[in-house]
Amino acid sequence: MTLMNVLVDFARTGRVGPLHCGMPLAEAEELLGPGRPHPAIRMRPDIDGYPYAWNGLELVVTQRTVSGIWIRLRPGSTTDLPPLVLPDSESYSSTVLREDLIAGLDATDCRHDVNDRLTFGEQSSVLTRPANVCAVFFTPHREEHVPHRERHYLGVIHKHTA
């Protein structure tokens, strides 16, 4: 399994392996181990809408239930994802071109539309159907070392419950 496989499968299904929106946080932590809670959660354990992180994977939690799944990438760097998400891997290149992810979606017949709400300026976004997963692409920041500075790279792919 590769990072691209994980990203395309997430975009198609709205799931990352067995992880899905609506599952109890306790169940996710049984699968992943304890996550790093956002500092707001440490201050107020009952606060909603903040993530627990497992390196590049974040689960947003509302009322102790997973309400969002995020995979964050930094072009020109590597990403670490839990073995449950990306088996047999400690880290993968997190440089994913927009056209490569789109080609992966097309190859699996995953429908996608431009997400007008998040397409402006130096970024673009697509929303997959029927999973409603949002992928946001950016031109690289100054400190991100990539071969093609004018192209769009995946920065985050995420799903939220309503």
Side-chain angles (χ1 to χ4, degrees):
M1 177 164 291
T2 67
L3 177 60
M4 185 62 76
N5 296 128
V6 170
L7 298 172
V8 169
D9 193 49
F10 180 32
R12 272 186 337 93
T13 65
R15 299 174 72 102
V16 176
L19 304 172
H20 59 90
C21 290
M23 74 185 305
L25 173 62
E27 185 179 326
E29 287 190 308
E30 281 180 28
L31 295 168
L32 295 166
R36 284 187 333 272
H38 187 278
I41 295 170
R42 288 190 193 116
M43 292 186 318
R44 287 191 40 218
D46 60 339
I47 195 167
D48 285 338
Y50 288 91
Y52 283 71
W54 290 262
N55 297 323
L57 173 72
E58 294 180 1
L59 301 180
V60 178
V61 177
T62 304
Q63 296 179 358
R64 309 288 301 159
T65 300
V66 174
S67 58
I69 301 172
W70 293 65
I71 297 175
R72 294 187 186 277
L73 302 176
R74 289 204 53 201
S77 184
T78 58
T79 190
D80 295 314
L81 295 173
L84 174 77
V85 174
L86 194 56
D88 303 323
S89 167
E90 291 188 20
S91 64
Y92 263 86
S93 169
S94 60
T95 304
V96 176
L97 284 165
R98 182 182 192 281
E99 49 268 25
D100 291 343
L101 182 61
I102 297 298
L105 298 177
D106 290 343
T108 60
D109 293 324
C110 178
R111 293 181 314 151
H112 52 88
D113 301 306
V114 171
N115 182 351
D116 292 329
R117 292 179 29 204
L118 294 175
T119 298
F120 54 84
E122 297 285 315
Q123 75 178 42
S124 64
S125 177
V126 296
L127 191 59
T128 66
R129 301 283 179 225
N132 290 321
V133 173
C134 179
V136 184
F137 306 90
F138 306 90
T139 55
H141 296 101
R142 186 172 301 142
E143 71 278 358
E144 295 170 335
H145 302 289
V146 296
H148 306 286
R149 303 212 49 82
E150 72 286 352
R151 294 170 82 181
H152 283 193
Y153 294 87
L154 183 62
V156 65
I157 185 168
H158 60 91
K159 177 176 178 68
H160 290 280
T161 56

